[in-house]
Amino acid sequence: MNFESLWKAAKKDGFGVPKNDHAPTANASEPYATRNPLSVNVQFTSEAKPKFLHQQDTITNTQPKNNVQVDCAEIDPGRVVVNESATTNELHTSIKSDVRHVSERDSSSAPLRNRNAATTGLPKHDEYSPGLPAKDDNVNRNDVEGSDSDDDVPHQGRPRHVTERRKMQNSVFSAWLANRSEKVTKDEVKQAIQSADDELLSMRSLMSKQESQVIISDPREYQMELFERAKNENIIAVLDTGSGKTLIAVLLLRHILDKELEDRAAGKKPRISFFLVDSVTLVFQQFAVLECNLSQKLDRFCGDMNPEQFPKETWTKHFTTNMGIVCTAEILYQCLMRSFISMEQINLLIFDEAHHTKKNHPYAKIIKEHYLSASPERRPKIFGMTASPADAKTDVVQAATELETLLHSKIATAANLTVLQSATNRPKEQVILYDRIPCTDKTKLYEELKSRYEDVECFKKLFLAAEYTSRDLGDWCADKLWSFALVMEQGNVMERKLERKWSARKEARPVQELDQQLLRLREAQDFVRDWSFMAPEDSNMSAKVLCLQQLLAQYFERPTDAKCIIFVERRYTARVLQDLFSRIGSKHLRIGLLIGAKRGEAGDIKLSFRQQVLTMMKFKTGELNCLFATSVAEEGLDIPDCNIIVRFDLFKTMIQYIQSRGRARHKNSHFFLLVEKDNAEHVERVREVREAETILRQFCGLLPPDRLLKGNDWDIEDALAKERNHRTFIEPTTGAKLTYSNSLTVLSHFVSSLPHDNETVLQTTYTMGMENRQFVCEVNLPSISPVTYAKGLPYASKSIAKRSAAFQACLLLRKGQYLDEHLLPIYHKVLPAMRNAHLALAGKKGNTYDMRVKPNFWEKGRGTTPDKLYLTVIRLEKPEVAERPCRPIGILTRLPMPSFPRFPIHLGTDRTSDVACLTLSKPLDVTLDNLVTALTTFTYRVYDDLFNKTYENEPGLISYLLAPILDTSEFSASALPESVIDWDLLKMVQSNIELVWTPKMLYKELEDKFLVDKWDGGRRFWSQGVLPGLKPMDPVPEDAAPAKHMENILGYTNSLWKKSRMNQDYWDLNQPVVLAQKILHRRNLLDEWETDPSVKTRAYVLPQVLRISVLPTPVAFMCYLFPAIIWRIDAYLVALDVGDLLGLRLHPDLALEAVTKDSDNTEEHRNEQIHVQRGMGKNYERLEFIGDCFLKMATSISLYAQNPVDDEFESHVKRMLMICNKNLFNHAINKWKLYEYVRTQAFNRRDWYPLMPKQTKGKGFNKEAEAKKHHLNDKSIADVCEALIGAALLSSSDLEGGQLDQAVKAVTLFVDNDDHRAEKWDDYYRLYAIPAYQIAEATASQIDMAKRVEAEGHDYHFKHPRLLRSAFSHSSQPFSFEKVPNYQRLEFLGDALLDHACIDFIYHSHPDRDPQWLTEHKMAMVSNKFLGALCVKLGFHKHLRANHSSLLHQITEYVTEIEAAEQESQGARDYWTTTKNPPKCLPDMVEAYIGAIFVDSEFNIDQVMRFFSEHIRWFFEDMSIYDTFANHHPTTFLSNLLANDLGCTNYRLMSGELPSLLPGDTSAPRIAAAVLIHGEVVAEGTSSSSRYAKIKAAKNAVDVLQGLAPFEFRKKYGCDCHEAEGIANSDGNGDGGKTVVDTAI
């Protein structure tokens, strides 16, 4: 019977109408229900049951008010409760809100959409179509529209979803962080400070680390006596060092603050107390004491904090929020002068070391200019402290009287000096005589240098110092001084001083003059370097030194807790003696150096305040026990009690004598005075100070406590008489006061604030002249100043005349309003406005966007019938791996297809072949012989037979046509399309819809045919041959693939309803039974899958019942592969559309990789991937990695080129604004709409179809096309921008012109910033504003450095040697020395260039490594540790020019260590990993050098790559040796430990911000990090940055976890990850061992 007859018969019998009682009910036992995670058990409990449910309907489309019972394993039973009265709509809403992480099998957005009855378990409506048979209740659910289903093949596993887990982790961490913030205690503050590295602490924290004692608890009698006097009057407490003057000040301050609180409570205006000190040292030291002993809020300020930059509002805030302030006197003086505060607002002034109150000291200026001018009743109380009122050779009584007069206070001391002496440990004072030193002041080295270099001006002071040292210390020390001054780090200092003096000259001098002087200096340096120095012996040491050696040998003969300070007059003496006694001293002598911060002459070095404090901390803990010190140790520093004080050089004043003696406060301490025999001057000096001290004690002791300061008013007037004729200006609006004494400071501050570039030296020049025998000064300001000249009044004194000129200049500036009402400059250093901008994007924040499914390529020419078509041949590279023969297929398009790379297609277990696409260059003329019709017929036949789709016959609306290709040998792109198309097959398909079986058909004709079930489009078969022994009514053999009807072979083959199926009148019962293979539908062949041997595919079918396709099986088989192939081609074309949009020529594979995001958290390289889309190919991670690096380099180059006056910080901020994710995201969204092109979905069986005419049959029939949407995180879109830059970079290698031009253009497109407008690489140098310093005439020294560096093996010749000088100039080197900037800008540039070179190497040499591995191993290449070692290996460290003595010492120590490590390594390339970290300047030099050669070569990147190849590549040719270096990074190590060793995937490392712990660091964030394992915090860490907090937390977690056996770990933390993994891999939902382990670090 024919088709029409069958249809009519079926309709007549009524088989097409299903009945209600036959409506199926899905239950959990049905195979399809168990496969689908959304299958629900739905029972309609009302009487009126629905007849059917449309396939496109969701549950909400069922009839209303039908109660539903739901059983869904994927719904949280703790949250969803559906009662009997719940309506369908209510149920759907509930389910929709609680379904967790359901894996979608396709792109449908409705979570419960009834895609087909088989997968939802719901009854499905039977559709009536002309020419189609009706079906009964037993029809296979893979009906005519079910051919899109993949259910015949077990689904491959997906990594399990972690969204809910992450929500839980976020909740746990937030709660922990909140709780952690509440538990910050003072003990934690103290612990944080104590445990911190001293080198990393701020000065406040460093001082806080020293234990300040509570001194207020047990005052002595004399202290209480002086405190009571201080409460009632202004006094100056004169007490010995160590006798507790500070305690009296603390008692008085507490008393004043208590009284202030009462006054405020009574409604009086608030006032504040000031504790004034003379040095920065004392600011921190005294503040630490006050903070420990007082509960009121206090603060401290010193010049290092740049308080001169504070506006009035800032000071007002400090004065309001604090009750007391510790500061240097100059700071208070500036505040008073600028009228930020008035004397009436102060209730107490404490003057520490009050003997400094004289002349123009800030102590004196505060009193003279501000205290005395205040009304007496509102003046603050004064309390002064000193060991002696006299600090110079002067009459003690007169000095005491002057001090009382200036401070408006009475000197007071303990009434009973005996009590005072008993309260303090007075040392035993001893004079040690040493033999008279003979007058030999010339060593052999001295004589040689004198004869050669006596004319060198900078050596004059050295010769004098050498003479003195030779006389005082001996020949060895004298020669050593030359070594310190010329050979060691001071040699470079002398060069720089010489250059600075030459540069500072006003008159123009030829550079050759400087070159000659430097040449002579270097000759002397070489001479001393080559000199053979003698060993220290008694014969070359002076009697004075031998005396000290004998003394120290006695006290440090054995291990001891004794502490000793040796006072010397000169810094170079201290340094030489330190070096000497480190050689000849006892092994129990641990020597240190304590000298001042100002640089001196003749081999002097300096110690910063920080270094002084660190030295004192080591001295206090016993790490050092003997200090060679200058006068800096006499007052100020908090020095522990000492046993031994030695005055190697005698004191000059009484206060030096008293203060140095006061350092010996330990019991049984000794104070030794070294006195030369028969030296009358020494004897007289000792006698004078002892006598002066006696007079002072007697004077103070005889002062009556109730005396009046008679005559003080007269005395102060006399003291001020000289200043009466000096002009004063008081600002009427604020009261700010300009005087001669402060005018120099005000003018200097103004000049320093003038806006200027790095090459401008701001210098104020004072010129002195004479008028009428008096001095007149003229001041010239820099040319950029609005006032450039002023002239002062004539005065007899030069210093007063100079101040008069400065005063006049300040008046002019104020008149022009260049100084504001507080005498502050109107110019301020403007920090980058966006320096603190929040530029990061939340990784999880995102939106739903439109997504392009089809490329623009298919729209070009669509709608018109083509006259020519271009053929692209698609074939398998390895057709032999297919399960059956296949032939190439062709796509005919209106325009030639671009060239596509080969890509893999997976045909089963270990059966993979690349797909090759070849577009023929010549088009096919389709206007002849009606070729379009033939090709259209073939195309439609493919879609009908294979995919059960038919369309209206409108060829002009088809995107592309298909054509069979002859299975011939290889052919080239130049082949004619007519020669490769199988025209015979086209004609056959055009002539025959199908091959109809008849009884006359030979058995052979039934072999190797493609068979289609006409009634169920989901069933198709490959025929193998006839089985003569079987008949249609025979039972179905047991080995047959399952089917819905298994009663006999006829029913097995037939999908019709039962009556139609079994009507023997319709079917030929003698027809042969054909053995066939059932075709399993799997469309996503882009993903790896494994053949399941348990799935039966053997089938027994009848040819009459099925359609025998006219398509040969090799063609049909290739057409089955076509959906996956065209899906990938579409993806390539969409990706290329991005290139067209941006004007970039991208390789298709790179373009697609750049826009592929295959999971919801692709950008999280170490996290478990969420909702992974399989078979998408490479995602954007690697391209983002290299694109991010190029983005950094490109913007760095542009900023360097276009902004020559920007410092490194400004450049960093500008770069951050360009490359930040927020900027990239905004432009990608608003300007380019990149979200449309991002590929986030894997192969979709409904979206691969081409743009076609209206569909007339098959799934999707009568459906409106919906716009595709997808969700993208903001950061993902920014990452795609960087990946596209990477794609443009890698695509450039095959393009004509500059290899980097495409990437440069891409950067410009995405940053869209005026600081980067380059369109090609050459634009960078064209935009470069060459600074004047670079092209200025180089000195001989600079040229010589360039030659030496080149000769040392660096094959690059500098055209501009000053660039190299800049690259090797440390930030401590002032610009004024040589008019050359330091290396910071070049280092900023070189850092980015080096990053690019390293990443380019590691990216291409490790093509299969993921970004996390690349990042971790790149860290080794650019680490400071490696670059520091490289700097030494290249010899760069020898050329560093730094004005920083301790830095040079650190470099020397590091060089010794790294050279030893290299020597012992026996050629190992990773020797540098075993040493300590280098000084930061060494890696900076390498980066700056790279920047310098890049700039000098006119921005030639090849020079950078050459440097990398010659000097860096060798170390990293085998990256495996750095696996340990990378894996030992704590977070990586923890990740490997948990994932690999312990088998846990449920962990996470998180961080958040806490309040700062360290005092004074409130401006810096404090970050806490925690490691969560199965929702439990197991370790934590805190730091100032998220990165280091996570490192600490990871280290702590490793300490907790390391050593645990897996079973112990599982038991302790309730870990069941290994069980879940085992279940996933055993039930078919795993990934065949390929699942990526969650490494959420």
Side-chain angles (χ1 to χ4, degrees), residues 105 128 306 492 644 948 1086 1213 1387 1589 1593 1640:
R105 301 307 185 194
Y128 305 107
N306 297 317
N492 290 333
I644 307 158
N948 200 44
L1086 297 170
V1213 173
E1387 182 262 333

Side-chain angles (χ1 to χ4, degrees), residues 1030-1190:
L1030 293 178
K1031 299 296 182 182
M1033 300 305 293
D1034 288 349
V1036 179
E1038 293 183 357
D1039 61 350
K1044 199 65 176 178
H1045 313 297
M1046 302 288 289
E1047 63 270 19
N1048 51 45
I1049 294 176
L1050 175 60
Y1052 179 86
T1053 308
N1054 202 326
S1055 297
L1056 290 172
W1057 287 13
K1058 187 173 184 180
K1059 291 182 179 180
S1060 300
R1061 188 171 65 245
M1062 304 309 297
N1063 190 337
Q1064 298 183 15
D1065 294 335
Y1066 298 159
W1067 312 110
D1068 186 340
L1069 298 182
N1070 295 314
Q1071 62 182 301
V1073 175
V1074 177
L1075 177 64
Q1077 178 187 358
K1078 183 182 178 182
I1079 300 175
L1080 301 179
H1081 299 295
R1082 178 178 179 83
R1083 301 288 165 71
N1084 189 9
L1085 301 178
L1086 297 170
D1087 182 22
E1088 293 185 38
W1089 60 286
E1090 296 184 0
T1091 306
D1092 188 350
S1094 65
V1095 176
K1096 295 180 179 180
T1097 60
R1098 193 176 181 91
Y1100 302 86
V1101 297
L1102 303 176
Q1104 182 189 16
V1105 180
L1106 303 178
R1107 178 195 299 161
I1108 304 175
S1109 177
V1110 71
L1111 298 175
T1113 55
V1115 174
F1117 182 81
M1118 191 66 182
C1119 290
Y1120 263 118
L1121 310 184
F1122 182 71
I1125 295 172
I1126 196 63
W1127 178 270
R1128 178 56 54 84
I1129 289 175
D1130 277 351
Y1132 282 132
L1133 291 172
V1134 171
L1136 290 176
D1137 284 344
V1138 180
D1140 294 339
L1141 174 72
L1142 300 172
L1144 301 174
R1145 292 175 292 171
L1146 304 177
H1147 286 177
D1149 54 338
L1150 294 171
L1152 179 56
E1153 182 180 343
V1155 296
T1156 297
K1157 174 180 167 61
D1158 59 2
S1159 73
D1160 282 358
N1161 58 339
T1162 296
E1163 67 280 352
E1164 299 177 22
H1165 308 308
R1166 273 292 170 97
N1167 285 354
E1168 178 182 352
Q1169 300 298 284
I1170 303 172
H1171 301 153
V1172 178
Q1173 302 290 310
R1174 307 299 298 274
M1176 294 184 69
K1178 296 179 180 179
N1179 64 31
Y1180 62 63
E1181 288 180 321
R1182 278 177 56 92
L1183 284 178
E1184 179 224 338
F1185 173 74
I1186 195 170
D1188 173 73
C1189 173
F1190 188 86

